[in-house]
Amino acid sequence: MAILDHRLTDKEYAQNFSDIHPPFETRDAALVEANRCLFCYDAPCTKSCPTGINVPKFIKQITTDNLKGSAYTIFQQNIMGGGCSKVCPVEKLCEGACVYNLMEEKPIAIAKLQRYPTEKAIAEKWPLFTRKPSTGKKVAVVGAGPAGLSCAHLLSREGIDVTIYEKENKGGGLMTYGIAAYKVTPAFCEDEVGYILSLGGITIKYGMELSRDIQLEQLRKNYDAVYLGFGVGLARQLEIPGEELQGVVDAIGFIYTIRANGYPAVPVGDKVAVIGMGMTAIDAATQARRLGAKEVTLVYRRTQEEMPCTETELEIARLDGCKVLWLAAPKEILGEEGQVRQLVCSVMQLGIADGSGRRYPVDTGETVTLEVDMVIKAAGQMPYEALVNATSLTNDRGRLVITGNTTNLPGVFAGGDCVNGGKEVVDAVQAGKDGGAAILNYVMNNQRH
């Protein structure tokens, strides 16, 4: 067993990381699907979308060949509607709410239809929005992820000058660095960010991290308001013996490396264990297989009924050949000469329900051992507690505490993962919209601190 890069040919990498949900190839194909829509009154698909996209309206616009109108309907509610159409867990949102499910028929392919006008808009740079004249007001946004970009776009449309401070060298946040490449490519993420910035009035300063390169008090002094949307990103540690061995990596870093360095340059083991069963765990497991791992096992301490990922995501992993070890919790990682060789797991059984409503796993005292040369930790993400504690912001173990959209500091607003601890991209976009609306009201009423 060995951890190696360049396991596959360029052709194999291209095939393995091709679009998992291909778009409609022809106009006719899109029209056939769009015309299945019943255009429901008080549509459940719209109500289930965190950003409130008027789904029947944008689909109706597709049926009349009004693609620019359709794209506008989507982007007006969700400026990252292109990316969200690729990465949203639609099976538990819009498509899961489609009335066709009640008729035991396939739901409308809403995500695929959403891709149809938005991809054209982004590729062809349709100027769907016009920026109002500058008001002279200035807002700083920390984080060029979905929440920050959504907030910035809303404010810029209203004539507010926005400067985004981003610690990475590309915008997009989770979309660019934290999602499987077969769902959304880095090239698309770059195009999407460029499309958002094409409105004007938004400047991104890269390589600027809060509390390292720029201080919150400095931003408060120089801007009329500040929006914090820096997300989460620290991997939760397993806190078991052997975690320091070579071959133990965190899923966030693993996926980041794939996105930043390209497929061939990413080393992967022959036999890989992935700890966790959330979306990040699934992304890590499937990509490990697609990078050339011979065997990948997802290890989860509960059962399939309690897993945080969707059935659709689990099916993707299974189709890629990933195995699942249910009711197993990592106990110890064993190695030879500093390199991972085995993962020892405690066999669990479910006890009483915890605060989330899921039954809590209890150690039976038995163990099971996996032969592995790589362990990927995907047991959750933690807030940037040290970063937050370097400020005067009220927080709960690193998660910012807000009232409405406002922190305890006047003129400082926040939203997205740095507040809720980590939800979907679409939730972050809505948080950015809410924060932008609150900031607009604040600065236009001259409530300068």
Side-chain angles (χ1 to χ4, degrees):
M1 295 193 295
I3 298 178
L4 301 170
D5 55 16
H6 291 82
R7 284 179 174 267
L8 308 176
T9 65
D10 288 345
K11 184 178 180 180
E12 287 172 321
Y13 283 122
Q15 182 177 341
N16 288 356
F17 287 91
S18 61
D19 198 332
I20 195 171
H21 299 299
F24 289 111
E25 293 184 1
T26 65
R27 167 183 170 274
D28 287 348
L31 289 176
V32 167
E33 184 62 22
N35 278 302
R36 287 184 62 227
C37 184
L38 301 176
F39 309 113
C40 300
Y41 173 76
D42 197 24
C45 51
T46 293
K47 291 196 287 188
S48 70
C49 174
T51 58
I53 293 173
N54 189 332
V55 177
K57 182 178 179 180
F58 92 70
I59 293 178
K60 187 70 173 179
Q61 289 168 313
I62 290 174
T63 67
T64 59
D65 277 329
N66 182 9
L67 293 191
K68 287 188 177 179
S70 180
Y72 180 81
T73 297
I74 296 163
F75 288 142
Q76 187 179 34
Q77 293 299 114
N78 181 349
I79 193 58
M80 298 191 79
C84 285
S85 70
K86 298 169 181 281
V87 305
C88 265
V90 291
E91 60 274 7
K92 68 178 184 181
L93 295 172
C94 56
E95 291 183 19
C98 179
V99 295
Y100 272 121
N101 291 299
L102 302 176
M103 306 176 196
E104 297 185 358
E105 290 190 32
K106 281 184 64 177
I108 301 297
I110 298 171
K112 199 169 182 179
L113 285 169
Q114 187 168 312
R115 285 186 65 170
Y116 186 55
T118 56
E119 287 188 347
K120 287 181 180 293
I122 292 169
E124 298 175 18
K125 300 179 174 60
W126 293 346
L128 300 176
F129 297 94
T130 302
R131 185 172 187 250
K132 292 181 181 179
S134 178
T135 62
K137 301 291 185 179
K138 300 188 303 177
V139 171
V141 172
V142 179
L149 288 169
S150 175
C151 177
H153 195 267
L154 183 148
L155 290 170
S156 183
R157 274 158 48 187
E158 297 298 324
I160 309 295
D161 296 319
V162 182
T163 302
I164 304 178
Y165 293 86
E166 168 56 48
K167 69 174 184 176
E168 302 292 349
N169 59 13
K170 290 182 180 179
L174 178 68
M175 287 287 290
T176 299
Y177 291 105
I179 292 177
Y182 55 77
K183 293 179 181 177
V184 57
T185 66
F188 176 83
C189 292
E190 193 168 341
D191 289 344
E192 185 172 47
V193 172
Y195 184 70
I196 293 170
L197 299 182
S198 67
L199 174 70
I202 306 172
T203 301
I204 302 183
K205 294 188 176 182
Y206 293 107
M208 300 291 285
E209 184 175 344
L210 186 66
S211 297
R212 183 191 69 185
D213 307 293
I214 190 77
Q215 303 303 315
L216 181 57
E217 285 308 307
Q218 185 181 352
L219 296 178
R220 294 183 69 203
K221 180 180 177 182
N222 295 335
Y223 294 88
D224 295 285
V226 179
Y227 182 76
L228 303 175
F230 49 76
V232 292
L234 298 175
R236 192 176 302 280
Q237 300 303 300
L238 301 177
E239 298 182 353
I240 60 174
E243 195 167 359
E244 75 289 345
L245 289 169
Q246 290 292 318
V248 180
V249 301
D250 69 80
I252 301 165
F254 179 68
I255 295 170
Y256 179 101
T257 305
I258 294 172
R259 306 285 294 192
N261 297 351
Y263 319 126
V266 182
V268 68
D270 284 324
K271 295 186 176 182
V272 180
V274 179
I275 313 300
M277 192 54 79
M279 297 294 195
T280 301
I282 296 291
D283 281 359
T286 54
Q287 290 190 113
R289 277 286 289 163
R290 291 169 187 236
L291 287 170
K294 296 174 183 175
E295 189 176 297
V296 176
T297 304
L298 284 148
V299 178
Y300 184 52
R301 60 182 184 156
R302 290 184 168 98
T303 69
Q304 187 169 343
E305 291 183 5
E306 292 82 24
M307 67 182 185
C309 75
T310 66
E311 293 287 346
T312 300
E313 292 285 326
L314 177 60
E315 186 61 20
I316 290 172
R318 282 179 162 158
L319 287 172
D320 274 0
C322 298
K323 302 176 183 178
V324 183
L325 181 61
W326 304 105
L327 290 170
K331 180 179 181 180
E332 184 178 10
I333 302 171
L334 303 176
E336 293 177 4
E337 299 179 355
Q339 173 64 45
V340 172
R341 286 293 175 261
Q342 293 179 323
L343 173 65
V344 181
C345 298
S346 298
V347 177
M348 313 299 281
Q349 64 183 15
L350 294 182
I352 60 173
D354 63 14
S356 68
R358 295 183 298 172
R359 293 170 65 193
Y360 196 79
V362 179
D363 193 339
T364 64
E366 299 179 23
T367 62
V368 60
T369 300
L370 299 178
E371 301 292 326
V372 297
D373 55 5
M374 188 175 191
V375 175
I376 302 177
K377 301 179 289 185
Q381 300 179 45
M382 299 183 297
Y384 294 110
E385 192 167 356
L387 181 153
V388 172
N389 286 337
T391 69
S392 302
L393 292 162
T394 299
N395 67 91
D396 177 14
R397 289 172 292 182
R399 287 170 54 171
L400 299 182
V401 175
I402 61 175
T403 303
N405 297 281
T406 314
T407 69
N408 60 299
L409 300 178
V412 180
F413 301 76
D417 290 356
C418 64
V419 171
N420 61 42
K423 289 188 177 182
E424 306 296 343
V425 171
V426 68
D427 294 294
V429 172
Q430 183 59 38
K433 281 170 55 185
D434 293 340
I439 290 171
L440 184 64
N441 179 63
Y442 177 84
V443 299
M444 296 313 290
N445 283 308
N446 297 312
Q447 297 178 8
R448 181 70 192 261
H449 51 274

